[in-house]
């Protein structure tokens, strides 16, 4: 039985304590969970469920867009699909999944017994359940789900029904959950590292999460402010975004994107951290340029605060504004490029093998960089005038979020699941999942670049017929992509959760470094109850 | 015992911090005002709320500026009625020199069978013109109540600051007349009107 | 296992080929609009759009070169530096010189990219010295164009999506149409070679006015005006669509700008002025019921049908007109009021931009169509009186 489901799994390093602590069983184990591994599991399963719901919405969208004409839904419901697909994927799938990885791996990687605030950790997780129910359930409220796009611009939000208010409450809850989680992560990382693990000896995944947590604390309150202003404009007579009372609809965009841009970096920095662990492990070579990786990640985080208005080039900014934001945005490509070069330099003259984690990591580097280049092209304000609010933008952000964040999560799953479950996933099936996902992803989203250049706007339920062929390809690819993920869950994840598979070694990847590989597979319920003694590089335990 | 004392000390410190943050929230209102004045960001509101009269800094600044006859600016006038009333400029455009005082009229008629209160909100294109477009008198400074059928003509008296960037020589001054207390209209054909579009003041 | 996959791929490709073979969407390129399977930006019709197209090629080529170089290195490494080939791992893991090099060089490349972009940004913002100024107002869900300065000053009209195309969309089986969802009743007409300044604003929520061939896109923000400009170097019909989500019919408010020669433009202006004068027409002309209902049927189709339906039954919360009390009422003033001023917080919009004759005609039509057989009619003079 894997440790994921059995808290009494005995490992070599820690044993015997569980019985007289009365390790929890049954529903209490999960509802009252304070163990970072259990909470990590809860987050990951929750995120996957939301991913499927968001994915179904995407398939409904692509089914409607398969051909010109309205075959399945009316345009209002279509707009609800696009909105909820975005909100659920961003706030329900990507962010919680990375928090799940953080919960599982950070204490293990720094040699801590658990997160600093174990009960607050529990609260952070369970807050998400009512929020998710409200988001998913908003379709059944009068007027249906919000139909404003995930960016919820005013004054369109002022025309929405009660589901808008429910979504605002849901976003508040999710924001609170994220902020508490971030506080937990920062305190854990700063206070609970094993002796000898200085900041510059931490694993990169821990570094990227430390930086991400600061970003979260800085910007989630800004989103909270924006959506509260929408709420009071809707019901309490304020006119923040209503020009009749002296307000300005564009101000909403400024506030939202001040949150929104760091938000997208929040969704990618932990991914960078995971890749920085996997590539060295499968290249059998240390990460190239550890220090500059840390500086590059910090630069990206700091720069992310001063580029928000590149989402607003068409709102009527004066020239100086457009130029400033254009320059700042182009600048972010420099530290990002440094990271890509460092990963490739890690691979260079290494001794590589291509098990599934490495396949996804290399796939990530290749496809995420494509997304990065389209981002650089979009950052040029004159070009953005052609492409703003069109399918080129949709292609860009799906390349960086799906081929970026999601591929990394798959990579992280394949890399770490032996530690979580104690069994190896089926390598052949993993490879099938990889190629199926990579190919169908590109079939879905590559044609969207052409659609965007040709002028097809986004959030359109129907379109001129010249766009029909590329839309058909995209829909075909989307369904293939969806089936790949169903295959992933039923044929790869579920068997390992049930303990079906080859028994995993403590260090299944021979060159993997990090304290997580110093504990048995599956990791026992309690690990590092006493701080371990570390070697000089802080990646091995000395007896 | 030591622990209890330490905890009490911590509690006191945290209480002070919490009260301080609360007070900071209240202090933000005057702080914002000062920052916006200092940096000049708050252009739109400053222009509108200033009443004409002596001792007004902006007014005296305009008095002192010379008319710059080397430049001619075309000012176009636009009107948007956000509701069932008539609203239009009496002239579609004028030519004016920076520093020259100019006056134009706008006409407004309440064609409904009920009286209403309305407020005009100005906007400028290009947006950088707003910082240099000084309105000495404008119907947008006040709210007006009109009886059913009542028709009124109002002036806008303005002078363009010669400091206006040389690249701008066409400015569109646009007003949107809103009913006081009105909100974003519900989308046509919508099932749900979650926000009431009240006619009377809020 | 692999055989299974090949079989699946085979079936899928056959299905796709079959689908492609039916070529259900056999449309042609639309000049001034999208081309079939268009791969790149629209052919530019203004100098600004030319700069954008050039800039895009510039960026695409540089990015592709860098991409090929970088991933050439990566794939070389993937093929050569493998454990399965017996390659032993090197031990280097940092190099300050190299790190500085690949920070500084991209930094320089980015600055070089920014230079032509800066020029293009500054040019696109210069709205001064326009020959003609047109205000484009976004409504839910159509555009209103008002010519506020220059030749044609005073002309104003609404431009909506062709009703038949909207119905085609609903049917789920639209016929192959080259200008599907891009055809309007009243296009914006402008003269070629002149600098046209477009002022955008909105009546309700944020919309966005865009014409890709001109390289312009400007959000239309309620309560505010924004401006942009273009100088079309060629005559022709150029299309755009609303580019900011504005509610359920966001996909159904296209933009059609007809660029014509100077003489054609002058003729069009004269024609429009005549039409506007005619709308004022003889205020005391007495119309017959047949004349009114015939005209009213066209007005209904163009403006009312999308919500109240061709059957007059309405749909969901939209009230039916067939058998409606306000329509059957002998006192027409209520119905006139609804049409002039809207109703239910403008869920039923105001239609005062229609002429007295048009409103009188459509009211008379509703009173005498479907199962309504009142024999009542409304004269344009009554509508004019109601406006006072």
């Amino acid at each position: 039985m894997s440790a994921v489901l059995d808290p009494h799994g005995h490992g070599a390093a820690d044993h015997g304590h569980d019985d007289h602590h009365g390790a929890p069983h049954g529903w209490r184990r999960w509802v009252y969970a304070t163990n970072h591994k259990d909470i990590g599991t809860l987050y990951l399963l929750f995120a996957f469920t939301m991913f499927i719901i968001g994915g179904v919405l995407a398939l409904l969208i692509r089914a409607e867009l398969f051909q010109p004409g309205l075959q399945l839904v009316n345009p209002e419901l279509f707009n609800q699909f696009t909105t909820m697909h975005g909100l659920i994927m961003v706030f329900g799938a990507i962010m919680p999944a990375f928090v799940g990885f953080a919960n599982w791996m950070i204490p293990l990687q720094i040699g801590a017994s658990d997160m600093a605030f174990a009960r607050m950790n529990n609260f952070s997780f369970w807050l998400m359940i009512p929020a998710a129910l409200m988001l998913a359930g908003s379709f059944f409220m009068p007027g249906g789900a919000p139909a404003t796009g995930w960016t919820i611009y005013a004054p369109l939000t002022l025309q929405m029904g009660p589901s808008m208010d429910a979504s605002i409450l849901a976003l508040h809850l999710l924001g609170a959950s994220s902020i508490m989680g971030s506080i937990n992560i920062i305190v854990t990382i700063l206070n609970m590292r094993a002796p000898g693990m200085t900041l510059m000896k931490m694993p990169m995944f821990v570094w990227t999460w430390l930086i991400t947590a600061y970003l979260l604390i800085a910007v989630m309150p800004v989103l909270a402010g924006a959506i509260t202003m929408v709420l009071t404009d809707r019901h309490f007579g304020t006119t923040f975004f209503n020009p009749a009372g002296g307000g300005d609809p564009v101000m909403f965009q400024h506030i939202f994107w001040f949150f929104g841009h760091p938000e997208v970096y929040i969704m990618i920095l932990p991914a960078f951290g995971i890749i920085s662990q996997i590539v060295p492990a499968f290249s059998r070579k240390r990460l190239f340029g550890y220090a500059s990786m840390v500086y590059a990640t910090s630069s990206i985080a700091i720069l992310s605060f001063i580029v928000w208005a590149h989402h607003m080039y068409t709102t009527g900014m004066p020239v100086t504004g457009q130029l400033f934001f254009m320059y700042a945005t182009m600048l972010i490509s420099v530290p990002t490029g440094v990271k890509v070069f460092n990963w490739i330099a890690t691979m260079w003259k290494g001794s590589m093998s291509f098990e599934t984690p490495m396949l996804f990591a290399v796939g990530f580097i290749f496809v995420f960089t494509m997304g990065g280049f389209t981002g650089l092209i979009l950052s040029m304000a004159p070009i953005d005038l052609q492409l703003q609010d069109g399918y080129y933008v949709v292609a860009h952000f799906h390349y960086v979020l799906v081929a970026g964040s999601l591929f990394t999560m798959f990579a992280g799953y394949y890399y770490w699941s032996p530690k979580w479950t104690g069994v190896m996933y089926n390598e052949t099936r993993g490879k099938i999942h990889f190629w199926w996902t990579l190919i169908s992803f590109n079939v879905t989203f590559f044609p969207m670049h052409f659609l965007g250049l040709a002028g097809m706007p986004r959030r359109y339920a129907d379109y001129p017929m010249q766009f029909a062929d590329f839309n058909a390809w995209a829909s075909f690819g989307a369904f293939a992509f969806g089936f790949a993920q169903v295959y992933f869950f039923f044929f790869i994840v579920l068997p390992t959760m049930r303990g079906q598979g080859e028994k995993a070694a403590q260090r299944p990847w021979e060159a993997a470094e990090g304290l997580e590989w110093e504990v048995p597979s599956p990791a026992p319920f309690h690990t590092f109850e006493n701080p371990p003694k570390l070697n000089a590089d802080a990646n091995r335990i000395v007896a | 015992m030591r622990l209890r004392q330490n905890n009490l000390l911590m509690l006191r410190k945290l209480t002070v911090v919490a009260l301080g943050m609360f007070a900071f929230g209240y202090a933000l209102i005057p702080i914002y005002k000062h920052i916006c004045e200092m940096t000049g960001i708050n252009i739109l509101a400053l222009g509108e709320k200033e009443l004409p009269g002596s001792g007004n800094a902006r007014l005296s600044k305009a008095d002192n500026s010379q008319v710059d006859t080397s430049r001619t600016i075309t000012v176009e006038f636009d009107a948007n009625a956000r509701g069932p009333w008539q609203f239009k400029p009496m002239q579609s455009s004028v030519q004016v020199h920076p520093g020259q005082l100019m006056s134009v009229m706008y006409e407004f008629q309440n064609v409904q069978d009920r009286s209403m209160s309305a407020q005009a909100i100005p906007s400028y294109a290009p947006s950088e013109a707003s910082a240099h477009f000084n309105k000495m008198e404008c119907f947008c400074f006040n709210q007006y109540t009109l009886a059913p059928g009542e028709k009124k003509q109002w002036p806008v008296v303005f002078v363009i600051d010669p400091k206006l960037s040389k690249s701008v020589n066409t400015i569109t001054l646009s007003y949107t007349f809103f009913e006081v207390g009105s909100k974003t209209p519900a989308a046509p054909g919508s099932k749900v009107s979650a926000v009431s579009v009240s006619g009377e003041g809020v | 296992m692999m055989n299974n996959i090949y079989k699946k791929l085979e079936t899928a490709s056959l299905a796709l080929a079959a689908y492609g073979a039916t070529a259900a969407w056999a449309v042609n390129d639309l000049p001034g609009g999208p081309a079939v399977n268009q791969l790149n930006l629209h052919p530019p019709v203004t100098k600004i759009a030319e700069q954008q197209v050039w800039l895009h090629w510039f960026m695409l080529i540089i990015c592709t070169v860098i991409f090929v170089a970088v991933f050439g290195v990566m794939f070389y490494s993937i093929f050569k530096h493998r454990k399965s080939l017996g390659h032993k791992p090197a031990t280097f893991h940092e190099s300050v010189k190299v790190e500085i090099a690949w920070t500084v060089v991209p930094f320089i490349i980015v600055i070089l990219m920014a230079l032509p972009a800066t020029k293009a940004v500054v040019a696109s913002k210069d709205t001064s010295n326009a020959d003609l100024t047109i205000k484009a107002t976004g409504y839910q869900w159509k555009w209103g164009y008002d010519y506020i300065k220059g030749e044609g000053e005073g002309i104003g009209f609404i431009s909506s999506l062709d009703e038949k195309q909207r119905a085609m969309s609903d049917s789920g089986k639209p016929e192959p149409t080259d200008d599907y969802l891009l055809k309007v009743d009243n296009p914006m007409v402008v003269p070629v070679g002149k600098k046209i300044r477009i002022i955008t604003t909105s009546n309700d929520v944020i919309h966005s006015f865009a014409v890709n061939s001109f390289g312009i896109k400007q959000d239309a923000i309620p309560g505010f005006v924004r401006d942009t400009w273009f100088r079309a170097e060629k005559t022709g019909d150029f299309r755009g669509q609303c580019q900011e989500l504005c509610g359920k019919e966001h996909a159904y408010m296209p933009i059609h700008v007809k660029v014509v020669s100077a003489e054609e433009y002058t003729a069009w202006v004269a024609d429009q002025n005549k039409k506007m004068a005619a709308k004022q027409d003889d205020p005391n002309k007495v119309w017959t019921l047949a004349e009114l209902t015939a005209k009213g049927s066209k007005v209904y189709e163009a403006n009312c049908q999308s919500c109240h339906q061709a059957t007059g039954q309405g749909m969901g919360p939209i009230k039916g007109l067939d058998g409606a009390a306000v329509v059957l009422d002998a006192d027409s003033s209520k119905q006139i009021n609804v049409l002039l001023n809207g109703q239910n917080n403008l869920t039923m919009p105001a239609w005062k931009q229609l002429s007295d004759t048009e409103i009188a005609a459509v009211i008379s039509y509703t009173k005498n169509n479907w199962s309504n057989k009142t024999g009542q009619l409304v004269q344009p003079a009554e509508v004019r009186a109601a406006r006072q």
Side-chain angles (χ1 to χ4, degrees):
Chain A
M1 252 299 229
S2 71
V4 172
L5 300 174
D6 171 18
H8 293 294
H10 293 290
D14 288 73
H15 57 85
H17 298 274
D18 300 322
D19 293 324
H20 50 257
H21 280 181
H25 294 273
W27 64 270
R28 286 191 190 77
R29 174 177 170 194
W30 302 104
V31 175
Y32 301 152
T34 52
N35 180 286
H36 72 97
K37 304 182 180 74
D38 277 358
I39 293 180
T41 304
L42 282 171
Y43 266 104
L44 287 169
L45 290 174
F46 170 82
F48 193 79
T49 309
M50 298 299 274
F51 174 64
I52 295 297
I53 296 177
V56 166
L57 291 170
L59 292 183
L60 287 167
I61 294 171
R62 285 311 328 164
E64 177 55 68
L65 291 177
F66 183 52
Q67 291 180 359
L70 298 173
Q71 291 86 26
L72 295 175
V73 295
N74 65 49
E76 194 159 17
L77 185 57
F78 182 86
N79 287 343
Q80 294 176 18
F81 289 160
T82 51
T83 305
M84 300 316 290
H85 165 72
L87 284 174
I88 287 178
M89 284 302 203
V90 168
F91 292 103
I94 303 272
M95 288 171 76
F98 277 133
V99 176
F101 277 98
N103 264 291
W104 248 109
M105 303 315 302
I106 290 180
L108 282 174
Q109 291 191 328
I110 64 176
S113 57
D114 208 304
M115 298 292 283
F117 304 117
R119 286 188 210 93
M120 187 167 78
N121 208 7
N122 173 291
F123 189 44
S124 286
F125 174 77
W126 283 106
L127 265 181
M128 294 200 306
I129 300 298
L133 287 172
M134 272 192 285
L135 281 182
S138 63
F139 281 102
F140 305 107
M141 298 184 192
T148 56
W150 88 279
T151 49
I152 49 175
Y153 278 4
L156 187 59
T157 42
L158 308 182
Q159 292 184 337
M160 295 294 127
S163 60
M164 189 70 233
D165 306 311
S167 300
I168 289 174
L169 179 57
L171 285 173
H172 271 299
L173 293 179
L174 292 167
S177 163
S178 289
I179 293 172
M180 288 190 286
S182 302
I183 294 173
N184 222 336
I185 286 171
I186 292 176
V187 175
T188 307
I189 294 175
L190 293 182
N191 276 6
M192 293 173 67
R193 278 165 289 130
M197 183 177 285
T198 60
L199 285 175
M200 291 308 264
K201 289 189 183 151
M202 294 196 305
M204 275 307 296
F205 179 65
V206 180
W207 254 117
T208 54
W209 248 116
L210 180 62
I211 295 170
T212 305
Y214 276 108
L215 280 180
L216 272 165
I217 292 183
V219 300
M220 290 308 299
V222 177
L223 176 69
I227 60 183
T228 307
M229 282 193 263
V230 170
L231 190 69
T232 56
D233 264 23
R234 278 168 59 84
H235 296 294
F236 301 116
T238 57
T239 53
F240 291 111
F241 309 122
N242 180 1
D248 183 353
V250 177
M251 185 172 80
F252 177 83
Q253 296 185 32
H254 280 293
I255 302 176
F256 179 83
W257 286 115
F258 188 80
F259 148 78
H261 197 81
E263 165 68 15
V264 309
Y265 287 99
I266 286 167
M267 292 195 281
I268 199 64
L269 291 185
F272 288 164
I274 295 179
I275 298 300
S276 294
Q277 309 264 198
I278 293 178
V279 170
F282 291 85
S283 307
R284 296 169 178 75
K285 199 159 148 283
R286 269 177 66 175
L287 180 67
F288 186 90
Y290 175 93
S292 66
M293 287 299 242
V294 173
Y295 299 139
T297 312
S298 312
S299 322
I300 293 173
I302 293 172
L303 281 173
S304 73
F305 282 105
I306 57 170
V307 297
W308 76 88
H310 64 232
H311 299 271
M312 299 166 56
Y313 282 142
T314 59
T315 55
M317 268 191 283
V319 182
T320 37
Q322 287 197 335
L323 289 176
F324 169 75
F325 285 107
M326 181 170 80
Y327 298 149
T329 310
M330 291 172 76
L331 213 54
I332 291 200
S333 59
V334 175
T336 315
V338 165
K339 292 183 85 75
V340 172
F341 296 142
N342 279 7
W343 288 320
I344 296 179
T346 307
M347 294 163 69
W348 185 259
K349 293 228 169 93
S351 177
M352 287 185 271
S353 60
F354 293 94
E355 291 86 340
T356 310
M358 187 59 166
L359 284 176
F360 270 107
V362 172
F364 159 86
I365 298 176
F366 186 74
V367 196
F368 170 80
T369 306
M370 285 170 66
F373 279 131
T374 55
L376 182 61
I377 291 175
L378 280 167
S379 75
M380 315 279 273
I383 302 180
D384 188 71
L385 288 187
Q386 291 271 354
L387 304 175
Q388 166 68 5
D389 236 87
Y391 263 80
Y392 196 89
V393 177
V394 176
H396 160 69
F397 65 70
H398 282 94
Y399 264 77
V400 292
L401 281 176
V402 178
S405 305
L406 185 65
F407 276 25
T408 318
M409 288 181 210
F410 290 144
Y413 166 81
Y414 287 107
Y415 184 57
W416 279 312
S417 70
K419 184 59 56 185
W420 301 338
T421 62
V423 296
M424 294 302 290
Y425 61 87
N426 183 313
E427 181 60 43
T428 310
R429 292 184 187 176
K431 289 195 163 75
I432 291 174
H433 175 229
F434 168 71
W435 288 107
W436 189 347
T437 298
L438 182 71
I439 294 174
S440 57
F441 167 81
N442 279 292
V443 170
T444 309
F445 292 106
F446 199 75
M448 291 189 187
H449 294 109
F450 302 130
L451 287 173
L453 287 168
M456 179 174 169
R458 59 189 284 208
R459 300 167 170 165
Y460 264 38
D462 196 5
Y463 48 82
M465 292 176 181
Q466 289 83 1
F467 300 137
D469 287 346
F470 286 140
N471 269 289
W473 274 108
S475 295
F476 176 67
F479 275 86
F481 184 87
F483 290 138
Q485 311 324 316
V486 174
Y487 171 80
F488 170 65
F489 183 72
F490 284 107
F491 290 88
I492 298 171
V493 176
L494 214 46
T496 58
M497 284 178 70
R498 295 196 173 126
Q500 296 160 9
E502 204 187 295
K503 192 159 155 25
Q506 181 172 306
R507 190 183 305 263
W509 319 112
E510 62 175 341
E513 294 297 341
L515 293 180
E516 71 265 36
W517 308 113
E518 297 287 290
V519 303
S521 304
F525 197 61
H526 294 306
T527 42
F528 299 129
E529 299 228 272
N530 297 306
K533 275 208 196 17
L534 301 180
N535 66 344
D537 281 336
N539 58 8
R540 300 274 172 150
I541 296 180
V542 296
Chain B
M1 199 48 213
R2 274 277 308 278
L3 186 60
R4 187 180 151 72
Q5 269 175 345
N6 285 342
N7 283 345
L8 276 177
L9 181 60
M10 174 65 83
L11 184 61
R12 255 183 304 213
K13 286 187 194 163
L14 288 176
T15 312
V16 169
V17 170
L19 286 173
M21 288 167 83
F22 191 69
F24 180 66
Y26 268 97
L28 275 176
I29 298 172
I31 290 178
Y32 259 92
K33 275 215 192 81
H34 282 297
I35 293 182
C36 290
E37 268 170 33
M38 263 173 20
T39 56
I41 296 177
N42 201 12
I43 298 301
L44 197 66
L46 270 179
E48 273 35 279
K49 294 308 175 214
E50 279 177 272
L51 297 166
S54 59
N56 178 300
R58 241 195 180 187
L59 185 63
S60 51
K61 240 203 299 203
D63 281 344
N64 294 336
S65 56
Q66 304 282 22
V67 176
D68 180 358
T69 46
S70 66
R71 289 175 72 182
T72 308
I73 315 253
T74 307
V75 183
E76 297 170 359
F77 300 103
D78 178 49
N80 297 295
R82 180 68 74 83
W85 41 87
Q86 314 273 34
F87 177 50
K88 61 181 206 278
M90 300 306 289
Q91 289 162 278
S92 65
S93 65
V94 296
Q95 308 266 64
V96 69
H97 299 298
Q100 177 190 350
L101 206 64
M102 173 63 79
S103 171
V104 293
M105 302 297 285
Y106 271 78
E107 185 180 280
F108 183 98
Q109 183 174 29
N110 175 13
V111 295
Q112 301 169 97
D113 54 6
R114 62 182 185 88
S115 68
M116 59 171 283
S117 297
Q119 167 88 49
I121 303 284
S123 179
Y124 308 86
S127 45
E128 47 265 42
S130 64
H132 302 285
F133 200 98
N134 302 320
K135 299 203 286 297
M136 301 299 116
E137 198 185 315
C138 177
F139 57 88
C140 56
F141 291 164
N142 307 306
Q143 285 181 8
Y144 294 93
T145 306
L146 289 106
E150 192 178 349
K151 186 193 278 211
K152 284 212 111 63
Q153 287 199 355
W154 291 306
V156 180
V157 181
F158 64 90
V159 61
I160 297 179
D161 191 337
K163 289 212 276 290
L164 177 71
S165 157
K166 289 274 187 296
S167 61
V168 178
N169 48 36
T170 310
I171 299 178
T172 305
L173 168 61
S174 174
Y175 289 98
T176 306
F177 235 117
F178 294 95
E179 179 158 6
V180 171
S182 70
K183 303 193 185 184
T184 304
S190 65
K191 292 193 201 50
V192 188
S193 191
V195 288
S196 63
V197 183
S198 64
E200 311 312 309
V202 172
Chain C
M1 173 62 71
M2 292 308 277
N3 280 334
N4 213 345
I5 301 168
Y6 284 140
K7 265 219 214 71
K8 285 201 186 115
L9 275 174
E10 225 174 54
T11 333
S13 353
L14 280 171
L16 197 68
Y19 163 75
T22 60
W25 311 111
V27 292
N28 307 309
D29 298 351
L30 182 67
V36 176
N37 299 337
Q38 181 175 330
L39 292 178
N40 207 342
L41 294 168
H42 284 267
V45 171
T46 64
K47 289 257 172 351
I48 296 283
E50 259 172 49
Q51 286 180 346
Q52 293 167 344
V53 169
W54 182 88
L55 203 55
H56 176 249
W57 273 119
F58 173 72
M59 292 296 295
L60 189 58
I61 290 174
I62 295 181
C63 289
T64 308
V65 166
I66 297 176
F67 188 79
V68 167
V70 170
F71 289 99
V73 168
M74 187 181 89
F75 281 112
Y76 177 83
S77 184
I78 286 178
F79 286 119
K80 288 289 188 169
H81 303 147
R82 293 178 167 241
K83 182 169 184 213
S84 59
L85 292 177
H87 192 272
K88 294 276 170 282
T91 49
F92 65 84
H93 58 86
E94 60 189 0
S95 160
V96 179
K97 271 207 291 273
V98 167
E99 298 269 23
I100 291 183
W102 68 41
T103 308
V104 168
V105 170
F107 184 71
I108 293 176
I109 294 179
V110 158
I111 293 184
L112 291 175
M113 287 171 167
L115 295 172
T118 305
K119 262 187 53 194
V121 170
V122 172
S124 70
K125 284 297 227 172
D126 173 21
T127 57
S128 55
N129 296 327
D131 297 306
L132 182 57
T133 304
I134 304 177
K135 180 170 79 167
T137 305
Y139 293 88
Q140 283 174 314
W141 290 281
K142 52 198 177 220
W143 289 97
Y145 301 129
D146 291 287
Y147 288 62
I148 59 180
K149 193 161 183 315
E151 187 186 352
E153 198 172 314
I155 296 176
F157 52 86
I158 302 275
S159 179
S160 322
L161 172 69
D162 179 77
E163 279 291 327
K164 288 197 189 56
Q165 291 194 347
R166 182 66 189 87
M168 264 206 271
S169 178
D170 272 338
S171 74
K173 279 192 210 305
E175 295 149 27
T177 315
D178 288 356
D179 60 358
Y180 182 60
L181 298 187
L182 295 170
K183 180 171 173 189
V184 301
D185 49 8
N186 302 312
M188 181 197 288
V189 180
V190 298
V192 69
K194 296 281 189 340
K195 182 165 180 175
I196 317 287
R197 180 161 169 251
I198 301 281
I199 310 264
T200 60
T201 186
S202 163
N203 194 51
D204 32 54
V205 297
I206 302 182
H207 301 266
S208 189
F209 183 88
V211 181
N212 289 62
S213 306
F214 298 161
I216 59 172
K217 184 173 293 166
Q218 186 61 61
D219 286 1
I221 300 165
F224 289 81
V225 288
R226 297 282 193 255
D227 61 350
T228 184
W229 70 276
F230 67 91
R231 187 193 303 270
E233 316 252 323
K234 298 197 192 78
T235 56
D237 296 278
F238 302 101
R239 317 283 175 151
Q241 295 183 280
C242 176
Q243 298 267 168
E244 185 58 62
L245 179 60
C246 54
K248 64 186 171 86
E249 302 285 299
H250 170 51
Y252 300 108
M253 43 184 292
I255 294 151
H256 175 181
V257 180
K258 207 172 159 58
V259 181
V260 297
S261 69
E263 302 80 38
E264 281 172 338
Y265 181 69
T266 308
W268 177 81
V269 168
D271 189 57
Q272 287 293 308
N273 283 329
K274 247 207 314 261
K275 283 206 180 93
M276 289 202 309
K279 268 197 197 167
Q280 304 309 323
D281 53 11
D282 182 357
N284 297 313
K285 171 176 172 187
V286 174
W287 293 64
T288 66
L289 181 57
E291 287 170 325
L292 280 172
T293 52
K295 189 177 176 66
S297 143
K298 292 207 183 57
V299 175
Y300 186 84
E301 194 185 312
N303 296 290
C304 323
Q305 192 166 286
S306 58
C307 287
H308 289 286
Q309 307 301 308
T311 55
Q313 296 293 327
M315 195 173 54
I318 298 171
K319 301 206 166 80
L321 300 173
D322 184 8
V326 66
V327 175
L328 297 174
D329 197 338
D331 175 8
S332 316
S333 65
K334 294 203 189 68
Q335 193 175 358
I336 295 177
N337 188 44
V338 170
L339 276 167
L340 282 179
N341 298 314
Q343 191 171 258
N344 289 337
N345 304 322
L346 298 181
T347 318
M348 159 67 180
W351 292 94
K352 58 176 149 60
Q353 73 273 13
L354 294 177
S355 72
D356 299 332
T357 311
E358 286 172 316
I359 292 182
V362 76
I363 291 179
S364 306
Y365 171 76
T366 59
K367 284 175 176 292
N368 293 286
N369 201 30
W370 311 297
S371 68
N372 298 343
K373 302 258 176 273
T374 61
Q376 296 162 12
L377 49 73
V378 170
Q379 295 291 342
E382 287 174 66
V383 179
R384 167 184 237 80
R387 285 192 204 259
Q388 304 306 338

